[in-house]
């Protein structure tokens, strides 16, 4: 542990992948574990719903349907042989198709045998949307971990200086730190972000990014998440 900066850089395994402990607890889930599961993955469901242009009410219904399905069945249908996100995508996908059927949009649902090029293209588009959202969530998870591990003043200093691009002197004033310490903290946390991103690349096919690109993407994702949390505030309580 770095005593001065309060951050452990001996990070070798993504916390996102150690979600396995949460998945194991989901096998005999009580309401507390179920709520923990959905707090973690609710943004993913909402972002997929937005990708396929569901209405606000249909998005709420989708969340309820996925919640009820997992509350009833748990992870009984998840064998662990495939990646978790692949299984979870299919759960969401099937519930979206149920909503489309209700609205008379059954013809838009691709069949498993892909009898037409249009159906295959629709399946590919949905899968690509899911992959895009999952990649964003993995990148966002780095910021979540940083916020959990760093002292609040250090995370604030990093976010204001590195993500928002404010001057170290201005950040020092609001963070109650010296400008020199702000620069040191930003440098160390950037180092940690890249280490974590490289690890995630070993676990999931993420494109190469330099530090500036990663920070720009982090800011974009954070802004998108905040919009979602504001728009669907009642669901994030």
């Amino acid at each position: 542990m770095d005593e001065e900066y309060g951050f452990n850089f001996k990070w070798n395994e993504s916390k996102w992948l150690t979600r396995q402990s949460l998945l194991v607890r989901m096998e005999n889930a009580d309401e507390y574990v179920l709520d923990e599961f959905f707090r973690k993955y609710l943004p993913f469901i909402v972002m997929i719903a937005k990708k396929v242009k569901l209405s606000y009410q249909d998005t709420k219904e989708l969340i309820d349907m996925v919640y009820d399905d997992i509350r009833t069945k748990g992870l009984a249908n998840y064998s662990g042989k495939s990646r978790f996100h692949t299984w979870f995508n299919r759960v969401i996908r099937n519930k979206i198709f149920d909503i489309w059927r209700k609205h008379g949009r059954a013809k838009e649902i691709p069949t498993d045998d892909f009898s037409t090029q249009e159906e295959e293209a629709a399946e590919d588009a949905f899968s690509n949307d899911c992959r895009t959202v999952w990649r964003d969530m993995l990148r966002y998870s780095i910021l979540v971990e940083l916020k959990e591990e760093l002292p609040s003043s250090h995370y604030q200093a990093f976010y204001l200086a590195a993500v928002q691009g404010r001057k170290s002197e201005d950040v020092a004033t609001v963070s109650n730190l010296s400008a020199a310490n702000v620069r040191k903290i930003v440098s160390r946390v950037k180092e940690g972000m890249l280490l974590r991103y490289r690890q995630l690349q070993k676990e999931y096919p993420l494109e190469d990014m330099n530090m500036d690109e990663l920070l720009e993407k982090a800011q974009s994702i954070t802004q998108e998440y905040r919009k979602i949390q504001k728009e669907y505030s009642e669901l994030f309580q």
Side-chain angles (χ1 to χ4, degrees), residues 176-228:
N176 197 28
L177 298 164
S178 69
N181 274 343
V182 169
R183 287 189 285 271
K184 289 178 182 178
I185 290 167
V186 169
S187 177
R188 295 294 303 277
V189 176
K190 281 183 176 181
E191 176 188 342
M193 281 191 72
L194 279 177
L195 286 173
R196 296 178 184 216
Y197 190 71
R198 299 294 178 255
Q199 177 65 31
L200 287 175
Q201 286 183 301
K202 296 177 182 178
E203 301 165 357
Y204 193 85
L206 297 167
E207 64 270 32
D208 288 334
M209 285 187 170
N210 60 36
M211 192 68 248
D212 289 340
E213 291 170 335
L214 186 55
L215 287 172
E216 182 179 354
K217 190 66 176 177
Q219 182 178 27
S220 173
I221 297 169
T222 300
Q223 290 173 345
E224 184 173 2
Y225 269 42
R226 286 177 177 171
K227 288 180 182 178
I228 288 174

Side-chain angles (χ1 to χ4, degrees), residues 2-19:
D2 187 314
E3 294 296 333
E4 183 179 2
Y5 300 108
F7 186 74
N8 181 7
F9 283 92
K10 295 179 180 179
W11 184 89
N12 297 313
E13 183 179 8
S14 167
K15 285 188 176 180
W16 197 265
L17 255 285
T18 57
R19 65 173 184 275

Side-chain angles (χ1 to χ4, degrees), residues 8-69:
N8 181 7
F9 283 92
K10 295 179 180 179
W11 184 89
N12 297 313
E13 183 179 8
S14 167
K15 285 188 176 180
W16 197 265
L17 255 285
T18 57
R19 65 173 184 275
Q20 293 299 330
S21 62
L22 175 58
L23 299 187
V24 168
R25 286 185 287 129
M26 281 291 293
E27 292 179 2
N28 298 292
D30 56 21
E31 290 298 318
Y32 178 81
V33 175
L34 193 63
D35 287 344
E36 181 183 350
F37 180 91
F38 271 88
R39 282 196 304 272
K40 192 176 190 71
Y41 294 109
L42 181 59
F44 180 73
I45 301 173
V46 174
M47 291 176 76
I48 291 297
K50 292 176 77 69
K51 285 284 188 182
V52 298
K53 296 180 172 57
L54 290 189
S55 68
Y56 181 86
Q57 290 302 321
D58 284 343
T59 298
K60 289 178 62 178
E61 183 177 0
L62 172 64
I63 292 168
D64 287 341
M65 291 169 72
V66 174
Y67 185 93
D68 288 343
D69 186 84

Side-chain angles (χ1 to χ4, degrees), residues 87-99:
W87 172 82
F88 197 44
N89 289 349
R90 185 161 291 276
V91 172
I92 297 169
R93 170 182 179 270
N94 290 340
K95 300 307 177 186
I96 289 173
F97 290 169
D98 287 344
I99 292 172

